[in-house]
């Protein structure tokens, strides 16, 4: 005989979890909107601005999938706690898209680190270069395809592809930290070597690349630990706005104008 579980019976009888998800995710969207706005007015290169906004939007997509799952529970006739990962079928679809959005978010973090390294190869030339929309558009589509391929393996009915998908996800998450750490090290080394031996524009570009790389490290670490939780995205975005000098400057200006 199954022992009664009053706590879970309470959660199943009352929509505590769905309402909690709705409220927390609605609040978590505020830092995303702030980052999207600040990225437009901060003095960032257009390539960095695009990737940063793409990263924020990918978190928004993850939140949307969580809200979708909560909606399925909220309108369920069998209770407010899920009975199965596969029923109703719309729940499984949300799970699939959740994995795809999470994978896409992680790969965008890697791309941001790579872009910071590319920015310091020829810093003065990169500073005055235009928006590489063809390259970034191609990369975005490729990352979407990669996320879809990973999800096919993660949710495969066979064990081997499922294990391979989980292994790929682990490699991606570790690569986020590795790429972020490499970007910080390379940008710092470049800035030290250039001090007093390059134009002001070149030094500014390298400094900006270093600051962005360094500001993203705490976000990468917490993202590695708590990728699927709403607090992760909120912390990562708020921390970035606090750590990056240009974004922090814009935040302070807006607060002063309000107060």
């Amino acid at each position: 005989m199954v022992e009664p579980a009053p706590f879970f019976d309470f959660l199943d009888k009352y929509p505590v979890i769905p309402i909690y998800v709705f409220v927390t995710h609605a609040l978590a969207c505020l830092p995303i909107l702030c980052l999207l706005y600040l990225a437009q007015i901060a003095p960032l290169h257009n390539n960095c601005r695009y990737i940063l906004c793409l990263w924020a939007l990918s978190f928004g997509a993850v939140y949307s999938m969580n809200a979708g799952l909560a909606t399925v529970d909220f309108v369920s006739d069998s209770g407010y706690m899920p009975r199965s990962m596969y029923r109703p079928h719309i729940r499984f679809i949300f799970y699939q898209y959740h994995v795809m959005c999470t994978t896409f978010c992680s790969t965008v973090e890697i791309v941001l680190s790579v872009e910071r390294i590319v920015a310091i190869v020829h810093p003065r030339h990169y500073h005055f270069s235009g928006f590489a929309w063809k390259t970034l558009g191609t990369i975005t589509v490729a990352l979407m395809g990669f996320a879809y391929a990973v999800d096919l393996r993660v949710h495969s009915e066979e064990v081997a592809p499922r294990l391979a998908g989980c292994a790929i996800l682990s490699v991606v998450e570790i690569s986020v930290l590795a790429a972020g750490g490499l970007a910080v090290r390379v940008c710092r080394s470049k800035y030290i070597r250039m001090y007093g031996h390059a134009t002001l524009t070149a030094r500014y570009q390298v400094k900006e690349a270093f600051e962005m790389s360094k500001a993203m490290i705490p976000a990468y670490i917490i993202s590695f630990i708590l990728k699927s939780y709403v607090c992760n995205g909120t912390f990562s975005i708020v921390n970035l706005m606090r750590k990056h000098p240009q974004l922090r400057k814009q935040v302070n200006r807006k607060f002063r104008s309000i107060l």
Side-chain angles (χ1 to χ4, degrees):
M1 181 177 179
V2 180
E3 296 184 4
F7 176 69
F8 292 106
D9 291 341
F10 173 80
L11 294 180
D12 191 52
K13 186 176 181 181
Y14 299 98
V16 176
I17 295 179
I19 292 177
Y20 169 79
V21 172
F22 294 147
V23 173
T24 55
H25 284 60
L27 294 175
C29 287
L30 296 178
I32 293 178
L33 296 176
C34 289
L35 180 58
L36 291 173
Y37 172 70
L38 294 173
Q40 306 309 311
I41 61 177
L44 303 173
H45 192 279
N46 285 334
N47 294 341
C48 180
R49 180 179 290 110
Y50 171 82
I51 300 172
L52 197 61
C53 291
L54 193 64
W55 177 66
L57 290 173
S58 65
F59 268 118
V62 173
Y63 297 168
S64 298
M65 296 306 105
N66 289 338
L69 289 168
T71 302
V72 173
D73 294 335
F74 189 76
V75 300
S76 175
D77 297 330
S78 58
Y80 294 107
M81 290 193 68
R83 297 308 197 262
S84 169
M85 177 179 176
Y86 303 97
R87 295 289 182 274
H89 182 64
I90 186 65
R91 171 183 296 282
F92 183 63
I93 294 176
F94 277 123
Y95 275 125
Q96 289 180 306
Y97 278 102
H98 188 280
V99 171
M100 284 188 277
C101 293
T102 304
T103 305
F104 181 77
C105 181
S106 297
T107 53
V108 170
E109 292 171 352
I110 297 174
V111 171
L112 181 59
S113 296
V114 173
E115 187 271 339
R116 294 291 79 193
I117 296 176
V118 172
I120 66 171
V121 175
H122 299 291
R124 191 176 187 280
H125 173 75
Y126 190 86
H127 181 80
F128 291 107
S129 64
F131 177 45
W133 64 272
K134 291 182 179 180
T135 301
L136 291 176
T138 302
I139 291 175
T140 301
V141 173
L143 294 183
M144 290 179 177
F146 175 76
Y148 176 75
V150 170
D151 175 74
L152 287 180
R153 285 160 177 77
V154 170
H155 288 110
S156 173
E157 295 181 357
E158 300 179 7
V159 176
R162 194 182 311 153
L163 292 176
C166 293
I168 293 173
L169 287 178
S170 300
V171 171
V172 169
E173 294 299 333
I174 294 174
S175 298
V176 169
L177 295 178
L182 178 63
V184 171
R185 184 172 181 177
V186 171
C187 292
R188 181 195 294 120
S189 176
K190 180 80 171 183
Y191 183 69
I192 293 174
R193 294 198 312 271
M194 289 183 63
Y195 190 79
H197 300 283
T199 64
L200 180 62
T201 301
R203 293 202 305 272
Y204 173 82
Q205 180 61 52
V206 175
K207 181 181 179 182
E208 197 276 326
F210 170 60
E211 289 173 344
M212 177 62 73
S213 301
K214 184 172 65 173
M216 288 297 295
I217 288 298
Y220 291 158
I221 293 175
I222 198 67
S223 179
F224 178 79
I225 299 173
L226 299 171
K227 173 61 71 178
S228 63
Y229 292 91
V230 64
C231 61
N232 164 47
T234 304
F235 172 87
S236 300
I237 292 172
V238 172
N239 182 78
L240 174 62
M241 292 188 289
R242 184 176 67 89
K243 290 286 188 180
H244 190 272
Q246 294 297 337
L247 294 177
R248 184 174 64 246
K249 184 186 298 183
Q250 297 299 329
V251 170
N252 292 336
R253 286 178 179 175
K254 293 304 173 183
F255 270 110
R256 282 197 296 267
S257 65
I258 294 173
L259 299 177

